[in-house]
Amino acid sequence: TVVNVSLPHIAGSLSSTPDEATWTLTSYLVANAIVLPMTGWLANQFGRKRLLLGSVAGFTLASFFCGFAPTLPFLIIFRVIQGATGGGLQPLSQAILMESFSERDRGKAMGFWGLGIVVAPMLGPVLGGWLTDNFTWRWVFYINIPIGIMALILIKMFVFDPDYIGQKSEKVDYWGIGLLVVGIAALQIALDKGQQEDWFGSHFISTLVVVAVVSLAALVIRELITDHPIVDLRIFKRRTYAAGVFLMTILGFVLYGSTVLLPLLMQTLLGYTAFQAGLTTMPRGAASFVAMPLVGIMLTRFEPRKMLFFGMAGMSTALYFFSRLSLSAGYTDFMWPMVLQGVCTGMVFIPLTTVTNGPIPKEQMGNATSLFNLMRNIGASIGIASVTTMLARQQQVHTSTLGAHINPYNPGAQSMLRGMQQMMMNAGSDPVTATKKAYAAAFGMVQQQAAMMAYNDAFLLLAGLGFAMLPLIFIMKKPPKSSGPVAMH
């Protein structure tokens, strides 16, 4: 997310259009999504510590070359490498932390670790905007280098593989790898470029969707019948895990969809700068920052499913409050729902991961966490694609509906237009020009209100999805009283 606000600067610096510059985001997401489900298998093949060292080293080196990039194709190539090496960082780090702490302390450890997962995407645009405005977009990448070097030193000193992780000489599932790469890449590109290309009005997007559906269907069949799957889908036989992964997918849809909507609303309709929009969303990140460690401690005393229920209900309520905003909304109208959403985010992520991964044996945890992360990312991609498409379509609908009321037979509309025309004439315009300006101003008002109504519709959809998921929580089995939180997504 730190790169998002830098895209116009990247496009201008590398002599490309803004649409071409978005491939720096798409390329990272595609490579990241491909590697995520393979992480558990790769760790078993090459060793978890060795894979983690390679991932951090590759990510750090790719960050340097991204910052150095003289052309856009050069940048995209190293964004692919950055995405591929960064894909395993979350599932690997959560598996290592899960095994490094006792049952009693895992909740606290995962609570603190969750700060990075939830708060960092919220702070990314603020940091990216500050670095770009005060230095250059290249520092968005260079900032990773000292952190990566420090991480390499600490991993080398303190991370060790458990006995059941190590180099294994199993038969490689090449068909599974091929179908996974083609299916996930096609799906991710289709979701990322769909709205821009007019979805199924584009032959390119239609082809990608067909390729994705066929490849992923073949992948499921292949992985269920082979003895050495690249992604072990048999883990979905566990009812609690399957329900938890589905909930995580919807949660990614809801959370990332709302994370995209709020800054857009502030900047396009309310006149906020990118930095001001980032500051306005800070209460959500601050609330999550405080709530995460507390939730980790509270899980030793309260049943995770109950906390998950109240967390999802609170998050959906916050989204409902956003659906009631208007063009006159001020800072406090955003602040309190954001605080509620931030606190409830902490109440959702850790309990959901606890209940979902609780019954999974340690030997299968790498595969389980990889799929958990993958589905969260796919849910996020579908959510972002859905809300941006809905914004465009609903704005057209509301513009048509509201515009129909500005006609010669509406006394209120005619009175407003005459007043605006007189105001333009008082400012020095002739009657013909004043009439044109009055109609243009009225159309601008209609477009603004239609856009606000479209945002309200999108937030209402996200709130409804959140409330609809509440019954699924009770499909999941109640975790044993002695087990603590086991992993963060």
Side-chain angles (χ1 to χ4, degrees):
T1 61
V2 76
V3 181
N4 291 2
V5 295
S6 304
L7 285 182
H9 299 267
I10 293 173
S13 174
L14 301 180
S15 302
S16 59
T17 66
D19 286 346
E20 290 171 340
T22 59
W23 280 102
T24 60
L25 297 179
T26 304
S27 58
Y28 180 92
L29 291 172
V30 169
N32 197 271
I34 290 170
V35 171
L36 262 174
M38 298 171 58
T39 304
W41 177 82
L42 290 170
N44 286 330
Q45 289 291 112
F46 303 106
R48 187 183 291 159
K49 179 175 181 176
R50 189 179 302 169
L51 181 61
L52 184 60
L53 283 169
S55 297
V56 174
F59 186 87
T60 306
L61 193 62
S63 296
F64 169 78
F65 283 107
C66 285
F68 174 75
T71 63
L72 185 63
F74 187 97
L75 174 61
I76 291 172
I77 289 170
F78 281 96
R79 280 289 280 174
V80 170
I81 297 172
Q82 194 184 38
T85 52
L89 295 180
Q90 288 184 22
L92 287 173
S93 57
Q94 72 182 32
I96 290 168
L97 281 173
M98 176 192 68
E99 293 170 352
S100 300
F101 289 86
S102 65
E103 291 278 333
R104 180 178 179 81
D105 293 329
R106 283 176 187 165
K108 300 174 188 177
M110 292 302 116
F112 281 105
W113 190 76
L115 296 177
I117 301 300
V118 175
V119 178
M122 300 176 186
L123 298 182
V126 182
L127 178 62
W130 183 82
L131 287 171
T132 303
D133 290 342
N134 291 279
F135 299 96
T136 171
W137 63 266
R138 298 182 186 275
W139 279 97
V140 168
F141 298 105
Y142 288 149
I143 195 174
N144 293 331
I145 296 171
I147 300 170
I149 293 172
M150 186 184 301
L152 285 171
I153 295 170
L154 295 175
I155 291 167
K156 187 70 176 175
M157 293 172 62
F158 296 112
V159 174
F160 303 97
D161 283 345
D163 295 337
Y164 58 85
I165 292 288
Q167 189 167 352
K168 297 183 180 179
S169 55
E170 292 181 350
K171 184 179 177 182
V172 179
D173 180 18
Y174 291 111
W175 276 102
I177 293 174
L179 291 169
L180 176 69
V181 170
V182 173
I184 293 294
L187 175 63
Q188 191 67 56
I189 295 172
L191 291 172
D192 203 49
K193 296 292 184 182
Q195 173 59 22
Q196 182 180 321
E197 300 288 337
D198 194 28
W199 291 105
F200 295 107
S202 163
H203 179 71
F204 174 61
I205 298 298
S206 300
T207 303
L208 284 175
V209 171
V210 172
V211 170
V213 170
V214 172
S215 299
L216 293 177
L219 175 68
V220 170
I221 296 170
R222 168 71 185 180
E223 299 308 276
L224 290 176
I225 63 176
T226 186
D227 294 329
H228 304 286
I230 190 76
V231 181
D232 189 0
L233 300 178
R234 298 179 185 90
I235 198 170
F236 284 106
K237 290 180 180 178
R238 299 175 183 270
R239 185 186 74 194
T240 298
Y241 181 79
V245 169
F246 183 74
L247 277 171
M248 187 70 251
T249 306
I250 301 300
L251 192 60
F253 184 109
V254 171
L255 182 65
Y256 283 86
S258 66
T259 302
V260 167
L261 285 176
L262 285 168
L264 275 177
L265 167 61
M266 294 172 191
Q267 292 177 71
T268 58
L269 291 183
L270 303 182
Y272 288 36
T273 65
F275 186 67
Q276 288 172 334
L279 289 179
T280 306
T281 58
M282 283 288 286
R284 181 174 55 187
S288 292
F289 191 87
V290 173
M292 281 282 185
L294 295 178
V295 171
I297 296 170
M298 290 168 61
L299 278 177
T300 59
R301 301 183 181 179
F302 299 98
E303 208 233 295
R305 291 185 307 169
K306 293 180 180 178
M307 293 186 67
L308 177 58
F309 181 89
F310 287 111
M312 289 197 71
M315 185 183 294
S316 302
T317 302
L319 291 168
Y320 175 77
F321 287 146
F322 288 135
S323 75
R324 312 302 294 172
L325 293 174
S326 68
L327 290 172
S328 60
Y331 177 75
T332 53
D333 296 307
F334 288 103
M335 185 182 73
W336 294 115
M338 281 188 181
V339 170
L340 176 61
Q341 188 183 28
V343 171
C344 292
T345 299
M347 293 177 65
V348 166
F349 276 110
I350 301 176
L352 178 57
T353 312
T354 299
V355 180
T356 303
N357 293 311
I360 305 297
K362 284 187 177 182
E363 292 78 7
Q364 298 180 22
M365 190 59 69
N367 179 64
T369 55
S370 298
L371 288 171
F372 200 62
N373 279 277
L374 172 69
M375 295 311 296
R376 184 207 63 198
N377 282 10
I378 289 178
S381 297
I382 296 173
I384 292 169
S386 299
V387 297
T388 51
T389 301
M390 186 176 183
L391 277 182
R393 304 290 167 88
Q394 288 299 104
Q395 185 172 353
Q396 292 174 346
V397 171
H398 291 305
T399 298
S400 177
T401 304
L402 294 176
H405 293 282
I406 301 180
N407 58 64
Y409 308 104
N410 188 327
Q414 290 303 308
S415 175
M416 180 192 71
L417 286 170
R418 283 193 296 269
M420 294 172 70
Q421 181 185 24
Q422 187 62 49
M423 183 176 66
M424 301 298 179
M425 292 173 64
N426 292 340
S429 298
D430 61 84
V432 175
T433 304
T435 301
K436 291 181 179 179
K437 287 184 176 180
Y439 275 102
F443 183 62
M445 293 170 61
V446 167
Q447 283 189 309
Q448 278 192 316
Q449 294 293 341
M452 188 71 245
M453 294 170 72
Y455 278 102
N456 290 343
D457 292 343
F459 281 121
L460 195 60
L461 168 69
L462 296 177
L465 268 177
F467 283 121
M469 290 301 104
L470 291 177
L472 281 179
I473 295 172
F474 299 102
I475 294 177
M476 307 168 79
K477 293 180 180 179
K478 181 178 179 180
K481 199 167 185 179
S482 58
S483 66
V486 291
M488 184 64 190
H489 74 283

